[in-house]
Amino acid sequence: MRSLVRNLQDEVAQAAERKKKEQEEEEEKKKRHEELKAQQEEQKKNAARSAKEKAKKEGLQTGADESTLKWYNMLQDQASQCAQAFDELSKAKDTQTKKLKMELQKAATTPVSQIANISGAPLREAFEKIDKLLSNHPVTSAGKTVSTSHHPQGLEFVSYKLAEKFVKQGEEEVASNHSAAFPIAAVASGIWELHPKIGELILAHLHKKCPYAVPHYPPMESGTILGYRVEDSKVEGQDSFLKRMSGMIRLYAAIIQMRWPYTGKQGPHPHGLNHGWRWLAQILNMEPLADITATILFDFLETSLRTKQIPAPKSELGSAFFRS
């Protein structure tokens, strides 16, 4: 009996020791996170102070101008409002609604993920699926028919997820396969023309993930520092960061110059050449950031000059730059 009691006492003591060790490890992890955050804040303050002093001497801006900042904030507000509008669908608990949510998300994102290496009829098919989905028409996805009309918040949900997916394709697909920027941009531009809200959401997602596309250098926010990913108190490596920014800037440059080639519409581009000139002028007037500014300028200009991979008019932006 005494032996049993001693064993129980030993187990209790060991459990207490384990719990104490776990608490100490958690406190240490929290301390490291706070130290990293404080270090990042201090580095950011020093960098901002240095940039501001240098800018005074050289006449360069250290942030976005007032009109650009107002535009940036407006787009972020619109994206937040859209996300709130499908809150009920997003947090659905019942099986049927959760299933519908997954089907709607697949119907929105699958055609976009298939765009990278296609042209001609398959590209038109992907475009038409997206257009039908946004027009409340039924579409077939993964063997199932689904429509945004199946839920009162379906259209808001699909619009948000679709825009998010376009930007993610820039972040991932275009980052690894530069030529993919053109067919993705052509579809994005065409959908933007028919459904303007999608364009605004694309810009909002793009600006949040890649503030250099504004261009704007916002203060540190939860999870990101000027576009850097922060996970488990570790900041993303520079190579990975530059690759992602490169992909998104290339997609943005392609969107500015691309038109959907299979339409008879001759209206103005939904986000055309004037935005390219605005971005270029502002990025050149802002204090350059080491590695980043040179990289995104190269990506933007090279994309503007490359020959397109789908049948469409020649690069308006690229030719305009070099006629000047």
Side-chain angles (χ1 to χ4, degrees), residues 178-316:
H178 293 170
S179 62
F182 300 110
I184 295 172
V187 174
S189 176
I191 292 298
W192 190 332
E193 190 169 0
L194 295 176
H195 306 275
K197 183 175 181 176
I198 301 301
E200 293 170 353
L201 289 171
I202 287 174
L203 285 175
H205 283 294
L206 178 66
H207 291 171
K208 189 167 185 177
K209 285 194 169 185
C210 179
Y212 312 100
V214 181
H216 174 45
Y217 308 152
M220 184 174 71
E221 298 173 358
S222 177
T224 64
I225 308 172
L226 290 178
Y228 285 88
R229 285 175 174 168
V230 180
E231 295 179 1
D232 297 327
S233 302
K234 292 182 180 179
V235 180
E236 176 183 23
Q238 189 72 352
D239 289 345
S240 171
F241 165 74
L242 289 175
K243 185 177 181 181
R244 289 192 307 106
M245 297 302 110
S246 172
M248 287 185 280
I249 286 293
R250 285 178 179 274
L251 177 61
Y252 184 53
I255 287 175
I256 286 171
Q257 61 171 315
M258 294 295 292
R259 296 299 299 267
W260 178 242
Y262 308 109
T263 181
K265 282 197 170 186
Q266 297 297 322
H269 191 294
H271 193 78
L273 182 61
N274 59 316
H275 290 278
W277 282 114
R278 179 202 60 81
W279 181 88
L280 185 62
Q282 291 202 18
I283 199 72
L284 290 174
N285 280 312
M286 291 177 74
E287 177 68 21
L289 301 177
D291 292 342
I292 300 169
T293 301
T295 298
I296 62 176
L297 271 172
F298 173 81
D299 292 323
F300 187 88
L301 291 173
E302 186 186 54
T303 303
S304 299
L305 293 170
R306 286 188 63 183
T307 303
K308 297 180 179 60
Q309 306 300 309
I310 62 172
K314 290 185 178 180
S315 168
E316 181 187 14

Side-chain angles (χ1 to χ4, degrees), residues 10 17 36 45 114 119 142 161 276:
D10 289 343
E17 184 64 26
L36 176 63
K45 287 178 182 178
Q114 295 171 340
S119 61
K161 292 299 179 181

Side-chain angles (χ1 to χ4, degrees), residues 54-81:
K54 189 174 179 181
K56 284 181 180 179
K57 295 178 182 179
E58 300 180 3
L60 295 175
Q61 298 175 11
T62 56
D65 62 37
E66 188 176 344
S67 61
T68 298
L69 191 57
K70 184 177 180 181
W71 176 55
Y72 167 82
N73 288 327
M74 180 191 72
L75 290 170
Q76 295 306 312
D77 288 344
Q78 288 176 348
S80 296
Q81 289 168 14

Side-chain angles (χ1 to χ4, degrees), residues 78-150:
Q78 288 176 348
S80 296
Q81 289 168 14
C82 180
Q84 291 171 8
F86 62 82
D87 187 65
E88 180 185 326
L89 177 58
S90 181
K91 296 179 180 178
K93 300 290 185 181
D94 65 284
T95 304
Q96 187 174 354
T97 306
K98 287 172 69 175
K99 183 180 177 182
L100 175 60
K101 181 182 74 173
M102 291 303 299
E103 290 174 352
L104 285 171
Q105 184 163 335
K106 284 183 180 179
T109 59
T110 300
V112 180
S113 65
Q114 295 171 340
I115 293 171
N117 296 308
I118 62 175
S119 61
L123 190 65
R124 295 182 69 172
E125 183 180 348
F127 178 92
E128 288 168 2
K129 277 188 175 181
I130 296 170
D131 180 34
K132 285 182 179 179
L133 187 65
L134 292 171
S135 301
N136 291 320
H137 297 312
V139 298
T140 301
S141 176
K144 296 182 179 179
T145 301
V146 64
S147 170
T148 54
S149 62
H150 292 167

Side-chain angles (χ1 to χ4, degrees), residues 136-180:
N136 291 320
H137 297 312
V139 298
T140 301
S141 176
K144 296 182 179 179
T145 301
V146 64
S147 170
T148 54
S149 62
H150 292 167
H151 192 281
Q153 299 179 354
L155 183 57
E156 296 289 337
F157 176 76
V158 162
S159 298
Y160 190 92
K161 292 299 179 181
L162 178 64
E164 185 178 54
K165 182 63 176 178
F166 270 118
V167 175
K168 192 172 183 180
Q169 284 295 89
E171 184 181 20
E172 297 177 355
E173 182 66 34
V174 178
S176 300
N177 175 18
H178 293 170
S179 62

